[in-house]
Amino acid sequence: MSQFTTRPEITGTHGVVASTHWLASQTAMGVLERGGNAFDAAVAGGFVLQVVEPHLNGPGGEVPILLWSEREQRMLSVCGQGPAPAEASAAAFRGLGLEQVPGIGLLPATVPGAFGAWLTMLRDHGTWSLADVLAPAIGYARDGFPLIPRAVQAITAVQDLFRQEWTSSAQVWLPDGKVPAPGALFRLPALAATYERLIRTAEGQAQTRTAVIDAALQTWYKGFVAQEIDHYYRTAKIRDSSGERHSGLLRYEDLERWTPTVEAPLTMDFGRYTLAKCGFWSQGPAFLQQIGMLRHAGLEQHAPDTAGFVHRIAEAAKLAMADRMAWYGAAPGASREAQMALLSDDYLRQRWQGVSNQAARELQPGAPGGHLPRLPDLDVARRTLLTADTRFGVGEPTFAALPPVSEWLEREVFVGDTCHIDVIDRDGNMVAATPSGGWLSSSPTIPALGFSINTRLQITWLDDGLPNTVTPGVRPCTTLSPSLALRDGEPYMVFGTPGGDQQDQWSPAFFLRHAVHGMNLQEAIDAPAWHINHFPSSFWPRETILNRLTVESRFEPAVIEALRAAGHDVRVGDPWSESRMSACSRSRDREGRLVLRAAANPRGMQGYAVGR
């Protein structure tokens, strides 16, 4: 093990897994040990993440997936981001007196796409039955799992909301009316019962493996699950971040008409590597834009712990995220021609030529293909906050301090609010997935189902005619962004991180430390990290901060001062407060044998890589 890493880079030949929670990693590895492939393992691990990281995702959330199929010899993107309900239009929200989609409650819901995406991959590429892949998640929900301190912090932050308003959530998350203790075994019997009923229903309607999976999809989106969601969202009136009580817009018909899409990912070359990301319905192309710009940045001349390395990547991120705001999305205001021009080398080279040794202080979206950008009203956050109710959190998961239960909690505050899992099996199949949404503080628990629904619609705008204007039947542009890489044309690596707007900042820095400077996976994850704020936040209330650079304190003081001298508004965070990367790779030795590697984030003390 390198002296610079917190743990070894895992090496094996049978299979490797890395994720944001040790139970999900071990669950997926257990599937590989029992003969399942990477797709079976990722699905089983993904459903466990919904149980053991309930403050960051849930069954009512969404997931984008990137995969490499060794049998088909191709990369695929599975879109588990559901669309806006048919009743959700900009005019409908304005008619409620709103200038923004609220960050919590019933109004921001989209069709919950995670279940559909996971099962679509399982059906088309897996080998295990529905009952087998769901068994670990059901077992943890029924029999108990250790509730990590971060989840208790989330419950603590919203306990008053649960007691006073969201009483169905109080029944789940405040047993006996009390906040649970960190580390205590916690049970979710209603969720376990939902999955058990789902399996009974599907197996009663079909007999073959794939037919049972199809029947389960029908049960979720056209059966009792969809019916219960429809009933609750029609009849409940719930207080949200607007300060008012609203019923929801999500309906049975919205779930009934949706299916996940499977498509080829977008790609960008960088030296030996080809990087693959989900389409412009995600922020994934921002990663590709940065990589395309940084081909011209001479990063090999700047060590990864220097101000030159950080400055160049931060400035590329500013330009890419400005383009995300102006051009990404799937609404009628989106231009496919402009979006694809964002990835052209001519455009990216021209964008990079505008970067100087001084930090950019203004938001600078580009004009791809000569198309002029049109921006949303960025003052809306200021106006929203004048009347909004922020007592119970904002659009992202909200956390409160706990009494000192460990040295870690006393000294560390880390960011990165979502989940991630990577898997590679002995045959070379690869999966990267970033599940999120439906976390416990996003919306009230649906009593009959035992889980909450996502609030992803808050990422849209109410300005008419933008690429990401809220539009009936159209998916919002999600922040969720797994990554896949080829090397020398061969499948090589899957990786990703939680973190909302930070996902496609931490991931490029990790990749460049590995690809340019030769760090192994664990070294590249452990290295000091940072993020910028130079765009409107994707999450309610969508505040815009410019030229903010937050770095871990492990950077040398001279590096921090050099960044300040370059004009960055530098904030220094705790030593291990940035990034939650995980990664798995595959390559061949001199005899042609497949060698697998994995690494996971030590920050927060819950991400783990396993393999053999």
Side-chain angles (χ1 to χ4, degrees), residues 19-21 24 42-64 112 114-115 118 137 145 147-148 150-151 154 173 188 191 195 396-399 416-421 433-443 445 450-456 480 498 580 606:
S19 86
T20 51
H21 196 290
V43 174
F47 279 108
V48 166
L49 283 173
Q50 294 175 358
V51 176
V52 301
E53 290 199 282
H55 55 306
L56 303 177
N57 80 140
E62 51 271 317
V63 61
F115 188 85
W118 285 125
F145 60 96
L147 200 61
I148 61 175
R150 195 68 168 160
W173 301 109
L188 296 171
L191 175 59
Y195 281 144
E396 292 186 279
T398 305
F399 301 97
D417 298 329
T418 291
C419 309
H420 187 81
I421 186 168
T434 311
S436 187
W439 48 72
L440 63 89
S441 56
S442 61
S443 61
T445 300
F451 61 82
S452 304
I453 302 296
N454 72 83
T455 53
R456 193 62 56 172
L480 306 175
R580 289 180 68 200
Q606 66 185 65

Side-chain angles (χ1 to χ4, degrees), residues 73-389:
Q73 288 289 294
R74 62 171 176 163
M75 301 179 286
L76 291 172
S77 163
V78 183
C79 177
Q81 174 56 65
E87 296 184 18
S89 66
F93 283 102
R94 289 196 296 264
L96 295 172
L98 301 174
E99 287 193 276
Q100 285 190 333
V101 178
I104 63 173
L106 303 183
L107 285 175
T110 65
V111 172
F115 188 85
W118 285 125
L119 261 65
T120 294
M121 182 174 71
L122 179 68
R123 179 194 64 201
D124 296 347
H125 301 281
T127 63
W128 275 31
S129 71
L130 174 68
D132 285 342
V133 298
L134 276 174
I138 292 172
Y140 284 123
R142 182 188 60 228
D143 302 327
F145 60 96
L147 200 61
I148 61 175
R150 195 68 168 160
V152 178
Q153 286 180 284
I155 297 168
T156 301
V158 293
Q159 60 178 311
D160 290 341
L161 172 66
F162 285 4
R163 290 190 175 100
Q164 297 169 21
E165 301 283 348
W166 297 6
T167 55
S168 61
S169 293
Q171 292 171 6
V172 174
W173 301 109
L174 298 171
D176 301 320
K178 299 177 182 178
V179 175
L185 288 181
F186 196 85
R187 299 174 61 248
L188 296 171
L191 175 59
T194 293
Y195 281 144
E196 289 169 338
R197 179 182 175 187
L198 180 87
I199 292 169
R200 288 196 307 271
T201 302
E203 290 181 342
Q205 296 173 350
Q207 295 184 351
T208 67
R209 188 189 77 89
T210 56
V212 169
I213 294 171
D214 280 330
L217 287 166
Q218 293 284 317
T219 301
W220 189 276
Y221 292 101
K222 300 180 183 180
F224 80 89
V225 176
Q227 291 164 358
E228 293 293 351
I229 293 172
D230 177 274
H231 174 74
Y232 190 77
Y233 272 67
R234 283 181 187 273
T235 60
K237 276 191 172 291
I238 298 298
R239 191 180 300 280
D240 55 41
S241 45
S242 72
E244 303 296 328
R245 291 187 176 89
H246 295 105
S247 56
L249 304 175
L250 189 60
R251 300 288 181 263
Y252 175 89
E253 292 77 15
D254 299 314
L255 283 84
E256 181 185 35
R257 67 172 61 99
W258 181 77
T259 55
T261 55
V262 179
E263 59 196 18
L266 298 173
T267 61
M268 177 70 63
D269 291 335
F270 184 91
R272 301 173 62 189
Y273 298 88
T274 298
L275 284 305
K277 299 291 284 188
C278 298
F280 283 96
W281 50 268
S282 77
Q283 73 172 0
F287 179 108
L288 302 181
Q289 285 194 257
Q290 292 173 72
I291 293 298
M293 284 184 267
L294 292 166
R295 290 183 296 207
H296 311 294
L299 288 178
E300 67 279 358
Q301 302 172 28
H302 300 275
D305 57 352
T306 62
F309 187 79
V310 176
H311 171 77
R312 282 159 176 77
I313 298 174
E315 293 303 297
K318 288 179 180 179
L319 296 174
M321 298 301 270
D323 281 346
R324 181 193 70 160
M325 174 189 61
W327 298 110
Y328 292 19
S335 166
R336 182 66 174 174
E337 179 183 359
Q339 289 175 346
M340 296 311 296
L342 293 171
L343 302 180
S344 71
D345 188 59
D346 286 345
Y347 175 79
L348 294 171
R349 185 188 297 269
Q350 173 265 323
R351 290 287 268 167
W352 183 250
Q353 288 172 348
V355 173
S356 74
N357 291 328
Q358 287 294 302
R361 298 175 182 272
E362 297 180 356
L363 202 57
Q364 298 174 314
H371 298 269
L372 296 179
R374 178 169 168 258
L375 305 184
D377 179 0
L378 299 183
D379 289 330
V380 67
R382 177 182 55 80
R383 297 194 301 270
T384 296
L385 288 172
L386 293 176
T387 58
D389 188 343

